[in-house]
Amino acid sequence: MEKRVVFSKLGLPILLVAPQIIITLVFFIWPASQALYQSVLLEDAFGLKSEFVWLDNFIALFSDPHYLNSFARTVVFSAATAGLSLGVALFLAAMADRVLKGATAYRTLIVWPYAVAPAVAGVLWFFMFNPSIGILAYLLKGIGYDWNHYLDGTDAMILVVLAASWKQVSYNFLFFLAGLQAIPRSLVEAAAIDGARPFKRFWTIVFPLLSPTAFFLLVVNIVYAFFDTFGIVHATTSGGPAQSTTILVYKVFSDGFIGLDLGGSAAQSVILMAVVITLTVFQFRYIERKVAY
Amino acid sequence: MAGLEFVGVRKTYPNGVQAIHGIDMAVADGEFVVIVGPSGCGKSTLLRMVAGLETVTEGEIRIGDNRVNELEPADRNIAMVFQNYALYPHMSVFDNMAYGLRNRRTPRDEIARRVAEAAGTLQLEGLLDRRPGQLSGGQRQRVAMGRAIVREPEAFLFDEPLSNLDAKLRVQMRLEIKRLQRALGTTSLYVTHDQVEAMTLADRLIVMNAGVAEQIGTPLEIYDAPATLFVAGFIGSPAMNFLPGTVAEDGSGANLDGSERTLPVAPPASAGRGRITVGIRPEHLEPVSREEAVLEVVVELVEALGADSLVHGQLADGGEGMAVTVRVDGARQVAAGEVLSLAVAPNHVHFFDPDSGNRLA
Ligand SMILES: Nc1ncnc2c1ncn2[C@@H]1O[C@H](COP(=O)(O)OP(=O)(O)O)[C@@H](O)[C@H]1O
Ligand SMILES: [Mg+2]
């Protein structure tokens, strides 16, 4: 039997859910509706009056090569960040799963980066790769690579990908390790007796059983790369050089608050919102289908 | 197919636990050997060393004529059935059975043929497309068996394969495993804590206790002449009655503690004149008239099983804790409080040294 609490009056239940609802309203629904509203307005240069322009802002965006360029860059950035952070985390988790004894210490160490604020993580990498004082830039120079993310767009992209992935590795690691430890040891042993070498065991037994976790993390990481990386970009490259690291979420900021194109910026955030909603819906549908094998 | 041999095998886990204290034994080609013992005695450890899932600390394990200590599990050509079946949950029944063959690059049509054959033997034909999650416990058990037999290995290893089944299915699968092993003639090593399973399946038994093989022999050898108190108490159900006592002055019998009567069965000469433990199985005590009786038991409790009844009581003139269990014909009416007069055939009385626990012979 399901247990139900029955409230005789309406007052208490409203009081109980109010904080959650107020937070959602103030920090999500209200700004989101503001963005929606702004995205169909055009402001004059002095911000004195605005005009209703239907979908002109969106049409302008999709005919703007800078925006399309930024879109493509965001796809590259997200794929690289998700790929790198998932790959490294999976590797570390597989290693940790093998040496369970030291695992707690190892786990604690690996989780640390997650506690670091994005901006701080960005600054950290910024210093390590600083062409004149950075230790890593110095080492790269030692092996003959002239690192300069101020001038080279590719270097700059690598830098933001590294900084963004680094933090995400710890999060992914926790999920992967939990997933790995939920796989009964006897399955891997049975596969070993069945003649599968370690690598084959991993790909034919362990990874398929881990795939729901991997898929969940893939979506989370893409969402992270799309929306949560503003601080990192801002602290390392500020979107440069020559907009080579201006990913969508950064462009919202630079167009809106630096370029003061509020309508266009709002339209961009509406598009971002649509992307995250699509991803989330996709994930829920997939996971619903995938629960039982 | 091949035999199997343990030569001075010992196992110490990295955390210092000594699980196996030296096992020497040879398993003949095609033989069904059951390792039986209480939980934690090292049965699984021994089996897993044969499989290559645990390293051998000391000694040697041979399959056929080859030392396998250093071989990977994959290279030992053995198949194992796990207690939880360890079926691959994301693969169909067919793929579960085919996995080991594919890894060994068996040709496609050969795989199809062997899986179909195994599925036929195990009545799995209709289930080949299902996932393990869609099968009952008994069906999963069969798939696990199927996965082992398609490989046509040198030896089967079973680690308590029936303990997750209900009692009725367990009896049925027990028979099936025995029949299958007979038909295939594959050397088998079977681990269980259940002595009935052990007795019914084994060509030969290893009774283990705390990492030591207490006795190795055929089920009847072990039942008729248990080598130690531990084996005597472990094999046979209900367990053997143990009655402490001393050898009578003239050596012609045993004086049970607190009892006036002398049990008129002469202990072996090796008993000397000291203390002994007398062992009598419940099924070897027979209700007789008072004149013929060698023991008398005050009945405390009767468990009627139908075909026979188990009578639990105390030795009538015995000291504290001289509990005795008797198996009597189910048709016989026995009531609590009654005094049962019992006789025993001399060749069914066992004598043990109470200090070392060894059989006196
Ligand atoms: N991986 C392990 N590490 C340390 N000790 C273990 C390990 N596996 C088993 N043991 C210990 O070895 C002994 C024998 O275990 P096991 O072979 O599993 O017993 P059984 O199968 O007879 O119940 C037990 O005391 C157990 O605690
Ligand atoms: Mg065990």
Side-chain angles (χ1 to χ4, degrees):
Chain A
M1 268 292 281
E2 196 184 346
K3 256 201 183 152
R4 280 168 193 271
V5 180
V6 180
F7 294 101
S8 52
K9 293 209 187 68
L10 215 57
L12 184 59
I14 286 179
L15 201 70
L16 289 175
V17 294
Q20 184 66 45
I21 295 204
I22 289 170
I23 286 172
T24 313
L25 280 174
V26 170
F27 290 102
F28 183 70
I29 306 289
W30 184 66
S33 58
Q34 281 295 305
L36 260 174
Y37 174 61
Q38 292 271 347
S39 70
V40 290
L41 295 181
L42 184 65
E43 266 186 64
D44 70 8
F46 305 101
L48 294 177
K49 58 181 187 327
S50 48
E51 185 191 342
F52 184 71
V53 294
W54 292 103
L55 296 179
D56 281 3
N57 284 330
F58 291 93
I59 295 166
L61 274 181
F62 282 107
S63 43
D64 175 5
H66 285 305
Y67 185 72
L68 294 177
N69 217 334
S70 167
F71 218 119
R73 242 186 285 282
T74 307
V75 169
V76 170
F77 170 76
S78 307
T81 302
L84 185 66
S85 60
L86 285 172
V88 171
L90 182 57
F91 177 77
L92 292 176
M95 293 297 116
D97 191 42
R98 290 172 68 106
V99 283
L100 269 178
K101 249 188 282 166
T104 23
Y106 188 71
R107 189 158 49 202
T108 314
L109 285 178
I110 278 189
V111 169
W112 275 357
Y114 200 65
V116 176
V120 177
V123 169
L124 218 113
W125 287 91
F126 173 77
F127 275 121
M128 285 197 290
F129 274 106
N130 187 299
S132 35
I133 60 166
I135 175 84
L136 292 177
Y138 175 77
L139 291 177
L140 281 172
K141 203 158 278 171
I143 58 166
Y145 185 83
D146 198 8
W147 176 273
N148 194 337
H149 62 258
Y150 291 115
L151 302 176
D152 186 323
T154 313
D155 285 0
M157 181 56 101
I158 292 174
L159 177 61
V160 286
V161 166
L162 278 178
S165 313
W166 178 69
K167 187 188 140 135
Q168 208 56 13
V169 165
S170 27
Y171 181 86
N172 297 343
F173 169 83
L174 281 185
F175 277 83
F176 274 137
L177 186 62
L180 283 171
Q181 293 190 348
I183 296 175
R185 193 142 238 126
S186 59
L187 284 185
V188 179
E189 291 174 346
I193 291 174
D194 262 345
R197 304 285 158 190
F199 193 72
K200 178 136 195 198
R201 291 204 286 272
F202 188 83
W203 285 114
T204 55
I205 307 292
V206 175
F207 192 72
L209 294 176
L210 212 54
S211 64
T213 309
F215 180 76
F216 161 78
L217 286 177
L218 180 67
V219 174
V220 167
N221 280 269
I222 290 177
V223 170
Y224 161 81
F226 259 75
F227 305 98
D228 234 0
T229 44
F230 169 80
I232 282 170
V233 175
H234 197 53
T236 45
T237 63
S238 298
Q243 306 224 346
S244 59
T245 53
T246 302
I247 55 172
L248 289 174
V249 65
Y250 196 76
K251 197 165 165 59
V252 170
F253 163 78
S254 66
D255 286 3
F257 293 90
I258 298 172
L260 292 178
D261 172 12
L262 284 190
S265 161
Q268 289 182 30
S269 37
V270 169
I271 292 169
L272 276 179
M273 238 184 316
V275 171
V276 79
I277 289 169
T278 313
L279 279 172
T280 312
V281 169
F282 179 63
Q283 151 145 351
F284 273 122
R285 299 205 61 132
Y286 179 84
I287 283 184
E288 242 167 56
R289 255 192 313 117
K290 190 66 192 180
V291 255
Y293 27 68
Chain B
M1 263 160 274
L4 217 104
E5 203 177 343
F6 299 93
V7 186
V9 172
R10 289 167 189 276
K11 172 71 184 181
T12 307
Y13 279 106
N15 65 359
V17 174
Q18 277 212 18
I20 303 287
H21 298 267
I23 300 260
D24 287 277
M25 124 156 250
V27 179
D29 187 4
E31 196 177 16
F32 198 129
V33 169
V34 175
I35 305 169
V36 65
S39 170
C41 71
K43 311 178 295 288
S44 296
T45 304
L46 192 60
L47 199 71
R48 291 166 58 82
M49 284 195 286
V50 179
L53 300 173
E54 298 288 351
T55 55
V56 179
T57 312
E58 211 178 294
E60 187 170 286
I61 294 179
R62 297 159 189 254
I63 299 178
D65 296 327
N66 308 317
R67 172 188 164 100
V68 296
N69 290 32
E70 288 78 23
L71 291 187
E72 287 291 313
D75 300 325
R76 300 190 181 198
N77 200 14
I78 42 94
M80 183 155 166
V81 178
F82 292 80
Q83 177 171 356
N84 64 2
Y85 316 139
L87 301 177
Y88 312 124
H90 57 297
M91 294 185 195
S92 68
V93 168
F94 182 93
D95 290 337
N96 262 281
M97 292 206 257
Y99 185 74
L101 296 175
R102 288 191 182 131
N103 286 334
R104 287 181 169 75
R105 310 204 177 287
T106 314
R108 242 165 207 283
D109 48 350
E110 170 84 3
I111 293 180
R113 189 185 62 72
R114 285 211 220 169
V115 172
E117 195 180 300
T121 317
L122 294 163
Q123 293 137 44
L124 290 169
E125 289 106 333
L127 308 173
L128 288 176
D129 293 328
R130 294 220 197 149
R131 296 279 170 94
Q134 302 164 308
L135 301 176
S136 71
Q139 289 167 334
R140 282 180 215 186
Q141 167 64 48
R142 282 167 207 278
V143 176
M145 292 285 303
R147 188 168 67 181
I149 65 176
V150 290
R151 292 252 322 274
E152 299 178 3
E154 306 265 20
F156 290 138
L157 307 176
F158 299 89
D159 193 353
E160 314 220 9
L162 304 182
S163 52
N164 285 355
L165 299 178
D166 61 56
K168 196 171 167 202
L169 211 49
R170 191 150 53 202
V171 173
Q172 188 187 332
M173 282 308 294
R174 192 170 80 201
L175 280 170
E176 219 162 305
I177 288 179
K178 181 85 180 169
R179 199 174 300 138
L180 207 61
Q181 195 270 344
R182 279 277 153 78
L184 299 170
T186 308
T187 312
S188 300
L189 214 50
Y190 185 109
V191 161
T192 180
H193 65 267
D194 178 21
Q195 57 95 21
V196 178
E197 218 170 282
M199 294 291 283
T200 51
L201 282 171
D203 292 331
R204 256 190 324 152
L205 270 177
I206 307 179
V207 184
M208 280 192 55
N209 181 27
V212 176
E214 295 249 341
Q215 190 171 5
I216 300 175
T218 67
L220 285 184
E221 274 168 20
I222 290 178
Y223 178 83
D224 288 339
T228 63
L229 274 173
F230 173 82
V231 175
F234 193 79
I235 298 294
S237 172
M240 185 184 281
N241 298 300
F242 293 123
L243 303 166
T246 45
V247 180
E249 245 110 82
D250 59 358
S252 69
N255 294 324
L256 302 182
D257 285 1
S259 171
E260 309 287 288
R261 229 190 268 260
T262 300
L263 186 71
V265 180
S270 61
R273 288 290 175 271
R275 293 197 55 79
I276 50 171
T277 298
V278 178
I280 306 173
R281 294 196 184 279
E283 53 271 37
H284 293 148
L285 285 166
E286 192 191 347
V288 289
S289 65
R290 276 207 83 157
E291 297 74 55
E292 298 168 283
V294 296
L295 289 176
E296 294 199 311
V297 167
V298 184
V299 177
E300 290 176 336
L301 193 81
V302 181
E303 292 176 293
L305 304 176
D308 40 30
S309 300
L310 300 180
V311 178
H312 302 277
Q314 294 282 334
L315 209 56
D317 47 3
E320 270 297 293
M322 300 288 268
V324 176
T325 302
V326 186
R327 187 193 285 269
V328 299
D329 193 308
R332 190 188 179 90
Q333 294 296 319
V334 184
E338 190 181 325
V339 175
L340 217 52
S341 305
L342 300 164
V344 58
N347 60 334
H348 282 146
V349 180
H350 309 266
F351 296 96
F352 300 94
D353 179 335
D355 299 320
S356 68
N358 289 332
R359 181 184 189 82
L360 296 168

